Every structure is written in structure tokens, then in C-alpha cells.
Amino acid sequence: MTLGFLNYAVSPFLLTGAWLALQIAAVAMVAGLLLGLGLALLRLSRNPVVSGAAWCYIWVIRGTPLLLQLVFIFDVLPAVGLTFGTFTTAVIGFSLNEAAFTAEIIRGGIVSVNRSQSVAATALGMPPFLTLRRIVLPQAMRAILPGLANQTISLIKGTSIASVIFVNELTFRAEQIVSQNFKFFQVFTSAALIYLAMTSAVALAQLAIERHFDFMRDPDRTALGWLRTRLGLPVRRAAPGRAEVKREPLPALIADICRDVATTAATPVVATTAAKQVVVCRNVQKSYGAREVLKSIDLTVDAGEVVVIMGPSGSGKSTLLRLINHLEPLDWGEITVHGAYVGYERAPGGGVRPTGRLAQARAAARIGMVFQHFNLFDHMTALQNVIEAPVTVYRRPPGQARDIALRLLAAVGLGRHADHLPHRLSGGQQQRVAIARALAVSPRVMLFDEPTSALDPELVGEVLAVIRGLAEAGMTMIIVTHEVRFARDVADRVVFMDEGVIVEQGPPEAVLDQPAQERTRRFLRMMSREEEAAVA
């Protein structure tokens, strides 16, 4: 009995069928993945026609049996002049079927990635497909891989259905043997063992690939790590020590890395009416549905000026920052950065309209943006976060980008943390990495969207110290914050906003110490009480 099992399990006749099944599965899975990725992106399109067409395809394919799909391709299509061989029919049928299922698996993985990751990449000037390839898909793989592995295993087993169109694969060959010797148990058990061997290889590959993409994995929590810990051995070989980078004064470093802006800008800088004007907002209006967020905002920021925007939540402060970098579209008005529109052009009838080269326009504008919740790329180390945009967007040589990144990280006090992933850093450290990442693109202007509001009080000081260093360097900055003391220290001008309008603006000593408007006084009294409570 045992020898019988072995004879059939290593039978060239059955193994040839298994090889044919693997060929069908491999080709169909690759084609299905490519088609599925395309379908997933179509499903995520904001165009309802495109998204609806992709959904209809998935609905039809998932809702009809694969066997009938194969019969349709093999028997019905010849009537309209499309004739395929049995192997080709199987590959086409399985590929089209897999595309529908993998599309939803991939789409699920993509939407599982926090949208802040895409927003951060967009703010750095990364175009959509570069963002997808470099930022979204590597993080989505943790969610995608289990589903894809299941589909691959199901596909290998499902190739037996191809026997209905006379594909001479493993199951079909097993049936041929049984029809001659009637040894059902031995033959089919051997075929099952061959299937198990093939699917086990997929399962092992899944484990290896998941390990590669699991950036959250703790080495001492793996089975090997647990064993090494119990034996008193190091969990992993220590990486070679990184040479300590000398910490430079931030003002001098900023002047150095920003020196090449004019020569490396993606598009020429257009002169403004007044050469010192960097950001100019005229009659800016923005609504979300019936809610009017910004109402005819006029604001000018000069070169080297630090403008702090304050106001209650919902007053439109963050929205204004996002409009400057064109992370949100304008409803009306215009915004220029160094005299150039960021992703707009003047419309013939007046006003502005979006252009088709938004990513390039963001890159050319050289606007650094730091977010409230850091928005570091979770799968990249601190060093990789800082290097990413200079290399992939601005085509800076990797070695040069790495040197600048190390200098920046050292300047913000994180030279020893360059190889740490974000989840290994404190909130204050993550925000300092985010500042270094924004500075690495040699920005003309820096936007800070409440950079300390997500931090514990004891971590606020380390971030504010870096921003003070930027102010000393003469960096043009627009900072949205509730930190009254910080605003008094660094701001050249304080702008107070409420209900979508600029209530008043002026030097810190005027707006913060002697506000002219009751709304400003009420807000400052509230912030003063909160600061006193925090100290207590």
C-alpha cells in the first residue's frame, strides 16, 4: 500500500499534470494581479463612470461560476470567430476570474493605509503613481498578502476545473489512471499529496514575503528571536556603527542646503510685483458643501517673515495652509508662491483653473509642510523619510541626499536615531524628523499646521526650539498654532482668524497684548486659562 502511494506520488504521468497545473496557475495569477491592480485603481477613481464600469465587471465575474466562464470561452466564443486551445482557454478564464477577486483584495489593502500617508507624499511633490508605488502599496502589502496567498492556493486547487474543457492537468490525469485500474483511494490520495506539496510551497513563500513587508515586526517576537532570547544570544547581529555626524547650527545648515534652490527648481521662478513677496492670497474663498470655511481672505507673506495664524478650531486656519500648497482646490480667488500659481493657470474669463501638472507644480513651488500628526512614512526609517523626496522627486544623487539628510537629522538632535522606524520614536522626535524631511527639499517657504498640538506638554519644547532655529535662519514660515508664548517669541506678525475671516493682524505685541477686537480678546483669555491649567 505504501509503495503504491509512493509510486503514484512520483509518477511522471501525474507530475507532468501537476506541472501543467502550476503553469496555468502561475500565468493566470500574474495576469490576474496586473488586471486586478488596474481594476482596483479604477474602483478607487472619483469618476463614477470609470468606477461603476470596474464594479460591474467584478460583480459579473464574482457572481458567475468559473466552470461556466471556461465553457463560454471554449464553446461560445468560436461562434464569433474567437477560437482558443485548451491551455490558452484555461489561462484566459482563470486570469479574468482572478482579476475580479484580486482587485477587491488590493483595493482593501490600499484603503487600509491611512490617507495621511498619501497627503504627506503629495505635499512633497510626489505624483500619484509614485506615491502608490513608493508609499501606499508597500504599507498595503501587510493587508493584501494573506488574501493573495489564499487566492493563489485556491487557484492551484481550482485548476482541476479545467478538466471540463479537456485540459490534461493533474486531476484529469488521475481520473484517467483510475478509469483503468480502479484504485480510487491510492491514486486520488497521491494527487491530493501533490496538491498539498504545491500549496505548501505557496504558504511558505507567504510567510517569507510577509516577514519582508512587516515593518512593525519586533525581532524578539519571532520564533527564532524567542529561542535566541531564551538561550541568552543576541536577537540579531548589530548593524555597523554609523559615524557620528557633527551637529551644525541650524541657521548655517539651512542657508547651505537652500543655496541651490534657484538652479534646481523644476520650473523657473516668476518675479512678483514686489520682489520680497513670497505668498500672496487674494480674495480666497473655500466651502465644503453649504459650509463656508474661508470668506474672501487676503494675506501677503514677505520673504523671511514668520507669520503665526491663531484662532479657534474651525476658523479655517488649516484649510488656508492646504490651499497654499494646493492640497485642496480653491473655490474662488488666487494664491501665488513667488509669483507662480501652484497647479493653476489663469482662465480666459477671469479667475484661475486647475492644470494637469499639479505634482510638478508642487515640486517647483518648493513648499515644505509639517503636519499636526507628523505623517511620517511608517515603513521607512527616519533617514529614508528625509531622503525620499529629494531622490525620487528632485532627482538629487542618493549619496548627496543621504549626506544632507544625516546633517539635517543631526541638526534637529536626531543623529543617533537615523535608522529608527517612526513607531520607535517619541512624538517630539517624529515631529523633528518631519521638519527635517520638509527641509530636505530646500523649501522657499515652510508651512506648519499646529505642529505641537498632538504632543505631550514635555515634548513641545524640543519641537519649538527647532522652529525657533528656522526663524533665526530667516526661513519664510506660516505657522498655525495655539501656543501664545511661542507666537510672541518667534512671530513677526500674528494673524487672528475666526469664522473664515481675518479678524485682525499685526505685530505680536499689538495683537497678543493689546487686541483691538473682542473676539481676539475672548480667544486669548481662553488660551491663557488653558495654559495656566496645563502648568498647574
Side-chain angles (χ1 to χ4, degrees), residues 94-105:
F94 281 109
S95 297
L96 296 178
N97 189 76
E98 286 304 307
F101 288 92
T102 57
E104 290 299 276
I105 294 172

Side-chain angles (χ1 to χ4, degrees), residues 283-287 291-298 315 497-502:
N283 193 25
V284 172
Q285 301 175 33
K286 178 66 179 178
S287 298
R291 179 170 170 258
E292 198 173 7
V293 180
L294 295 176
K295 308 169 186 177
S296 301
I297 296 292
D298 291 306
S315 58
M497 292 181 62
D498 192 14
E499 297 182 356
V501 299
I502 294 178

Side-chain angles (χ1 to χ4, degrees), residues 7-24 87 159 167-174 176-177 191 194-195 198:
N7 287 337
Y8 287 118
V10 298
S11 163
F13 188 70
L14 288 184
L15 291 178
T16 301
W19 173 239
L20 184 62
L22 278 178
Q23 289 179 294
I24 294 172
F87 179 84
T159 53
V167 175
N168 203 9
E169 47 72 55
L170 176 58
T171 301
F172 191 69
R173 287 176 178 240
Q176 289 176 314
I177 295 175
I194 295 174
Y195 275 118
M198 293 189 291

Side-chain angles (χ1 to χ4, degrees), residues 34 46 121 168 172 249 335 344 351 359 371 439 442 460 502 518 520:
L34 295 175
R46 295 182 180 181
N168 203 9
F172 191 69
I335 299 175
Y344 293 101
F371 297 89
L439 291 173
S442 304
V460 170
I502 294 178
E518 175 57 30
T520 311

